[in-house]
Amino acid sequence: MDYKQAIPEFSLKTSVLESNEQPLLAEQPDGSFSFKNKGTNYIAEMQQKDFLPVHGLTINLPVGGTQTGALMQKAGQSYYFLTNVLVDAPSRVHRWSDQLGLIWDVSLSGLQRNSVKELALLDAFIKEKNNLTITLGLLNNTFKKGGVFVIKNGEWGELKERLTHLVYDGGTDYSQISSSLLNANEYLFFTDGFSGFGNVAVSLTKPVYTISSSLRADFSNLKYISSKTGGQFIDLNVLSAESAFQKMAKDEMQFIGIQNNPGISELYPALPVRVSGYLSIAGLAASGSENLVLQFGYGKEVTLERIIKLNAASQATGAIDVSKIWAQKKLSDMDVNYAQNKDKISELGKQFGLVTRNTSLLVLESVADYVRYRVEPPAELRDAYNREMKGRSKYKEERKEGLMKEAIVMAAELKIWWNTVFKPEKFFPRPDKKPVAYNASPSTPISSSSPVSRERYAEVTAVNADESMSRKVMSRQMLSESVVVYGAQANKLGVVLTGLAVNRTVAENPVIIVPEFKSDKEYMKKINGSVEEAYQQYLSVRKEYQTTPSFYLDISNWFQQHKDADKALMILSNLTELDLENAEIYKTLTYKLRETGKVQAELFTSRKVLEWRPMDPQSYRDYALALADCGHYQQAVDTLYTVLNQSYSLDNADRDEGIEEIVLMEINNLINLHRTKLSTGKIDKKVIFNFPVDVRVVMNWNKKDTDIDLWVTDPNGEKCFYSNNRTKAGGRISNDFTTGYGPEQFMIKKAIKGRYKIEVNYFGDSQLSISGPTTVMAEIYTNYGKVNQERKVIALQLSGEKKDGVFIGEFTF
């Protein structure tokens, strides 16, 4: 018997391994198949490419044909099982619905698709169907209805015209797709499979036909979406438009699942899979005797059932390791949704010693290699491997304990600082000042974004300041001031606008003032007029800067400053289309989303950074702050506490020494503001405290190879920075980070009256990257840890060294 007849699903995937048309396997007298070439590279390639797993160099499968058998292997109190069934059923003509949903991905990456081929496929489909109604949905960072098109006699000129003139802009968020907005019986989804600005899951339950013409696509995700909903995946890179339509026009028999049986679990394949011949199925049985009812059909309609009687007593595997076959099938299923299952895939592969997408390129030559990548070695290396892993476990425990010890020491240090009474007047005696009269009526309106000249601003605000505002701001940035007011009414605050000064003696709350940053790049000179005019100008210059992150940041800022938040967000979301899994870009995006208050998007982008860089404490901190912004306070506290208990490499531990001070303040801030909503029983009581402060400033940045310093100058003119980290007024700054992502933190328990200036000292980047210059984010808090706490976030991208300081903002007490 030829193995290609006995195991069709296997043979279809082995052609690439055969050379000179020589068969790969030879049938043995007992009915099994053995490799003719015993090279281990065959096994590795088969596993890597999702071929049917093997044990040693022999493949034994249950008998096929009209009979159905199984192999069973003991696994604790349960059993692994493997069965091989033959299903030979003809395809049938697909009956398309008269109500079709057309989802068209109009994100920036859509420019890379083959629109000619996509329209040709639509043309073939519509000419065949002839009469139908198509509802168009347009997807980027949002999902909008693009119109309803009633097509008669195959005439679809209006829809074609609409599709031909679409604008591709923004990131992609599959989670926005909604059947309530686009209700149909079937969907055609033209996309590349990437959802960089939102969850990759699609909530539709009706059949979705995913269609891709892009060379760079997430084919696994496209297959997952179509399989889960009962549709098909169409790859226009390998099929002509006509061939693609012919494939869509047929329904193939598929394995749908099993009849409900509590005794059967972890069955794979778990997703519907098309069947034309033999299909092997593996799973776990709760006992040695179970009835397995396999269900087959078209779409979600069951038309055929096959009963498999499992009996461990008569179906022993012998030398076959069914557990590994089961694990390989589970890996194949999880790999279809790789992004969400990446960690599970890695763990399962290591547990069963299987090659996965994560480990296929690893070089495993010694025990040290297996230990480094946590891949289970062959039997002859197992003892040495276990000894090494035991030693590494001990090391991890010591690192974890050491980090908590540092946090406890820091909590004690903060307590001493907070309880110290500082008397700056001994060093800086201040003459009495007459208050500046408020020379406008109480009803005078005060704008929160009116421009103020720097000269006039310095003139009217130097009431209690010993120095005027620094002119050394940014050589390549132009600034125009905007005033941000928190708390009480504006006429009760120390607000200065267009020559009007408020009497500071009646100020009830601090005033936070930040500059409105405007880029002086050449392309910005072409962006003007109304927001609609500016958007067309942006599109006209975009081609030249399409892969430049700074371009989208600058343009997004323009629209944000001109009060078009939707366009600002859409343009900003283009950052997710530039480079897949780029943590620096996603950190920048997280900072801007936090600044603009887009908290759900901030939660997504910060979670992606944590997935990609779990080795960095800053990844956990950014995600925790996003959780807090979304009101998930318990998760935020738990995630921050993870920073103190996580084990890091020695290099990272040295690089980020002192981060405990920042994290402790944030844990306790959440506890003190939301105590009734939190469970803190797992937190060491020695690191719980209540130390509210008048002022807290935190500086973050998105690149690890950057040296940035936070400077805060108080009303006495004393600058708090790395070489003067404790001021006479009681200000303190955290540890100086010369590598890594920071952050650096300034605090003062009781702020003296007057103006505080915030600057960042930037020494430049040590290397260039696609993400562009370093992006910094300043978080400015007043009354931190108190019920009237306020926060202002400023994010900006730097360019060139700024050793004289970049002005970030200021606040007045």
Side-chain angles (χ1 to χ4, degrees), residues 614-656:
M615 72 292 291
D616 297 324
Q618 295 86 354
S619 300
Y620 293 90
R621 177 180 175 267
D622 285 342
Y623 181 52
L625 295 180
L627 286 166
D629 286 344
C630 292
H632 306 314
Y633 302 119
Q634 184 65 61
Q635 286 179 266
V637 169
D638 293 343
T639 304
L640 284 170
Y641 197 57
T642 298
V643 175
L644 304 180
N645 291 283
Q646 184 76 7
S647 179
Y648 307 103
S649 69
L650 284 176
D651 287 342
N652 281 11
D654 292 339
R655 183 194 73 185
D656 300 324

Side-chain angles (χ1 to χ4, degrees), residues 220 334-342 345 357-358 581:
S220 291
M334 291 195 297
D335 192 75
V336 174
N337 198 2
Y338 177 77
Q340 292 188 10
N341 296 323
K342 182 165 58 175
I345 289 172
R357 195 193 303 195
N358 309 32
E581 298 192 7

Side-chain angles (χ1 to χ4, degrees), residues 290-340:
E290 296 284 350
N291 276 346
L292 179 66
V293 181
L294 306 176
Q295 296 181 325
F296 301 85
Y298 300 94
K300 296 184 178 181
E301 177 190 0
V302 176
T303 60
L304 174 67
E305 290 185 342
R306 287 289 174 83
I307 301 175
I308 310 295
K309 294 186 178 296
L310 300 178
N311 189 324
S314 60
Q315 296 169 342
T317 63
I320 305 303
D321 190 348
V322 173
S323 68
K324 281 200 172 185
I325 299 176
W326 169 86
Q328 182 67 59
K329 287 188 167 292
K330 182 173 182 178
L331 285 174
S332 299
D333 254 53
M334 291 195 297
D335 192 75
V336 174
N337 198 2
Y338 177 77
Q340 292 188 10

